CSV table of all heavy atoms in Angstrom, one decimal:
chain,number,residue,atom,x,y,z
A,1,ASN,N,-16.3,7.4,5.0
A,1,ASN,CA,-14.9,7.7,5.5
A,1,ASN,C,-14.1,6.5,5.9
A,1,ASN,O,-12.9,6.4,5.7
A,1,ASN,CB,-15.1,8.6,6.8
A,1,ASN,CG,-15.6,10.0,6.4
A,1,ASN,OD1,-15.6,10.4,5.3
A,1,ASN,ND2,-16.1,10.7,7.4
A,2,THR,N,-14.8,5.5,6.5
A,2,THR,CA,-14.1,4.2,6.8
A,2,THR,C,-13.6,3.6,5.6
A,2,THR,O,-12.4,3.1,5.5
A,2,THR,CB,-15.1,3.3,7.5
A,2,THR,OG1,-15.6,3.9,8.7
A,2,THR,CG2,-14.4,2.0,7.9
A,3,VAL,N,-14.4,3.5,4.5
A,3,VAL,CA,-13.9,2.9,3.3
A,3,VAL,C,-12.8,3.7,2.6
A,3,VAL,O,-11.8,3.1,2.2
A,3,VAL,CB,-15.1,2.7,2.3
A,3,VAL,CG1,-14.6,2.3,0.9
A,3,VAL,CG2,-16.1,1.8,2.8
A,4,LEU,N,-12.9,5.0,2.6
A,4,LEU,CA,-11.8,5.8,2.0
A,4,LEU,C,-10.5,5.7,2.8
A,4,LEU,O,-9.4,5.5,2.2
A,4,LEU,CB,-12.3,7.3,2.0
A,4,LEU,CG,-13.4,7.6,1.0
A,4,LEU,CD1,-13.7,9.1,1.2
A,4,LEU,CD2,-12.9,7.4,-0.4
A,5,VAL,N,-10.6,5.7,4.1
A,5,VAL,CA,-9.3,5.6,4.9
A,5,VAL,C,-8.7,4.2,4.7
A,5,VAL,O,-7.5,4.1,4.6
A,5,VAL,CB,-9.6,5.9,6.4
A,5,VAL,CG1,-8.4,5.6,7.3
A,5,VAL,CG2,-10.0,7.4,6.6
A,6,ALA,N,-9.6,3.2,4.8
A,6,ALA,CA,-9.0,1.9,4.6
A,6,ALA,C,-8.4,1.7,3.2
A,6,ALA,O,-7.4,1.0,3.1
A,6,ALA,CB,-10.1,0.8,4.9
A,7,GLY,N,-9.1,2.2,2.2
A,7,GLY,CA,-8.6,2.1,0.9
A,7,GLY,C,-7.2,2.8,0.7
A,7,GLY,O,-6.3,2.3,0.1
A,8,LEU,N,-7.1,4.0,1.3
A,8,LEU,CA,-5.9,4.8,1.3
A,8,LEU,C,-4.7,4.0,2.0
A,8,LEU,O,-3.6,3.9,1.5
A,8,LEU,CB,-6.1,6.1,1.9
A,8,LEU,CG,-4.8,7.1,1.9
A,8,LEU,CD1,-4.3,7.3,0.5
A,8,LEU,CD2,-5.1,8.4,2.7
A,9,ILE,N,-5.1,3.5,3.1
A,9,ILE,CA,-4.0,2.7,3.8
A,9,ILE,C,-3.6,1.5,3.0
A,9,ILE,O,-2.4,1.1,2.9
A,9,ILE,CB,-4.6,2.2,5.2
A,9,ILE,CG1,-4.8,3.4,6.1
A,9,ILE,CG2,-3.6,1.2,5.9
A,9,ILE,CD1,-5.4,3.1,7.4
A,10,GLY,N,-4.6,0.8,2.4
A,10,GLY,CA,-4.3,-0.4,1.5
A,10,GLY,C,-3.4,0.0,0.3
A,10,GLY,O,-2.5,-0.7,0.0
A,11,LEU,N,-3.7,1.2,-0.3
A,11,LEU,CA,-2.9,1.7,-1.4
A,11,LEU,C,-1.5,2.0,-1.0
A,11,LEU,O,-0.5,1.6,-1.7
A,11,LEU,CB,-3.5,3.0,-2.0
A,11,LEU,CG,-2.8,3.6,-3.1
A,11,LEU,CD1,-2.7,2.7,-4.3
A,11,LEU,CD2,-3.5,4.9,-3.5
A,12,LEU,N,-1.3,2.6,0.2
A,12,LEU,CA,0.1,3.0,0.7
A,12,LEU,C,0.9,1.7,1.0
A,12,LEU,O,2.0,1.6,0.6
A,12,LEU,CB,0.0,3.8,1.9
A,12,LEU,CG,-0.6,5.3,1.7
A,12,LEU,CD1,-0.7,6.0,3.0
A,12,LEU,CD2,0.3,6.0,0.7
A,13,LEU,N,0.2,0.7,1.6
A,13,LEU,CA,0.9,-0.6,1.8
A,13,LEU,C,1.2,-1.3,0.5
A,13,LEU,O,2.3,-1.9,0.4
A,13,LEU,CB,0.0,-1.5,2.7
A,13,LEU,CG,-0.3,-1.0,4.1
A,13,LEU,CD1,-1.2,-1.9,4.9
A,13,LEU,CD2,1.1,-0.9,4.9
A,14,GLY,N,0.3,-1.2,-0.5
A,14,GLY,CA,0.6,-1.8,-1.8
A,14,GLY,C,1.8,-1.1,-2.4
A,14,GLY,O,2.6,-1.8,-3.1
A,15,ILE,N,1.9,0.2,-2.3
A,15,ILE,CA,3.1,0.9,-2.9
A,15,ILE,C,4.4,0.5,-2.2
A,15,ILE,O,5.4,0.2,-2.8
A,15,ILE,CB,2.9,2.4,-2.8
A,15,ILE,CG1,1.8,2.9,-3.7
A,15,ILE,CG2,4.2,3.1,-3.1
A,15,ILE,CD1,1.4,4.3,-3.5
A,16,VAL,N,4.3,0.3,-0.9
A,16,VAL,CA,5.5,-0.1,-0.1
A,16,VAL,C,5.9,-1.5,-0.6
A,16,VAL,O,7.1,-1.9,-0.8
A,16,VAL,CB,5.3,-0.1,1.4
A,16,VAL,CG1,6.4,-0.7,2.1
A,16,VAL,CG2,5.1,1.4,1.8
A,17,ALA,N,4.8,-2.4,-0.7
A,17,ALA,CA,5.1,-3.8,-1.2
A,17,ALA,C,5.7,-3.8,-2.5
A,17,ALA,O,6.6,-4.6,-2.8
A,17,ALA,CB,3.8,-4.6,-1.1
A,18,ALA,N,5.3,-2.9,-3.4
A,18,ALA,CA,5.8,-2.9,-4.8
A,18,ALA,C,7.3,-2.4,-4.8
A,18,ALA,O,8.1,-2.9,-5.6
A,18,ALA,CB,5.0,-1.9,-5.6
A,19,LEU,N,7.6,-1.5,-3.9
A,19,LEU,CA,9.0,-1.1,-3.8
A,19,LEU,C,10.0,-2.1,-3.3
A,19,LEU,O,11.1,-2.2,-3.7
A,19,LEU,CB,9.1,0.2,-2.9
A,19,LEU,CG,8.4,1.5,-3.5
A,19,LEU,CD1,8.4,2.6,-2.5
A,19,LEU,CD2,9.2,1.9,-4.8
A,20,VAL,N,9.5,-2.9,-2.3
A,20,VAL,CA,10.4,-3.9,-1.7
A,20,VAL,C,10.2,-5.3,-2.3
A,20,VAL,O,10.9,-6.3,-1.9
A,20,VAL,CB,10.1,-4.0,-0.2
A,20,VAL,CG1,10.3,-2.7,0.5
A,20,VAL,CG2,8.7,-4.5,0.1
A,21,TYR,N,9.3,-5.4,-3.3
A,21,TYR,CA,9.0,-6.8,-3.9
A,21,TYR,C,10.2,-7.4,-4.5
A,21,TYR,O,10.6,-8.5,-4.2
A,21,TYR,CB,7.8,-6.6,-4.9
A,21,TYR,CG,7.5,-7.9,-5.6
A,21,TYR,CD1,6.9,-8.9,-4.9
A,21,TYR,CD2,7.9,-8.1,-6.9
A,21,TYR,CE1,6.6,-10.1,-5.6
A,21,TYR,CE2,7.6,-9.3,-7.6
A,21,TYR,CZ,6.9,-10.3,-6.9
A,21,TYR,OH,6.7,-11.5,-7.5
A,22,GLU,N,10.8,-6.7,-5.4
A,22,GLU,CA,12.0,-7.3,-6.1
A,22,GLU,C,13.2,-7.5,-5.2
A,22,GLU,O,13.8,-8.6,-5.3
A,22,GLU,CB,12.3,-6.4,-7.3
A,22,GLU,CG,11.3,-6.3,-8.4
A,22,GLU,CD,11.7,-5.5,-9.6
A,22,GLU,OE1,12.8,-4.9,-9.5
A,22,GLU,OE2,10.9,-5.3,-10.5
A,23,PRO,N,13.6,-6.6,-4.3
A,23,PRO,CA,14.7,-6.9,-3.4
A,23,PRO,C,14.4,-8.2,-2.6
A,23,PRO,O,15.3,-9.0,-2.4
A,23,PRO,CB,14.8,-5.7,-2.6
A,23,PRO,CG,14.3,-4.6,-3.5
A,23,PRO,CD,13.2,-5.2,-4.2
A,24,VAL,N,13.2,-8.3,-2.1
A,24,VAL,CA,12.8,-9.4,-1.2
A,24,VAL,C,12.8,-10.7,-2.1
A,24,VAL,O,13.3,-11.7,-1.6
A,24,VAL,CB,11.4,-9.2,-0.6
A,24,VAL,CG1,10.9,-10.5,0.1
A,24,VAL,CG2,11.5,-8.0,0.4
């Protein structure tokens, strides 16, 4: 569960980073 939750959080943060990458 720890690995799954941490992986999901990392994925969501990665998606956010991908959305703001080009504007930044």
Side-chain angles (χ1 to χ4, degrees):
N1 292 342
T2 302
V3 171
L4 289 176
V5 171
L8 180 59
I9 294 174
L11 178 62
L12 293 176
L13 292 176
I15 293 173
V16 173
L19 291 173
V20 301
Y21 176 74
E22 292 182 358
V24 171

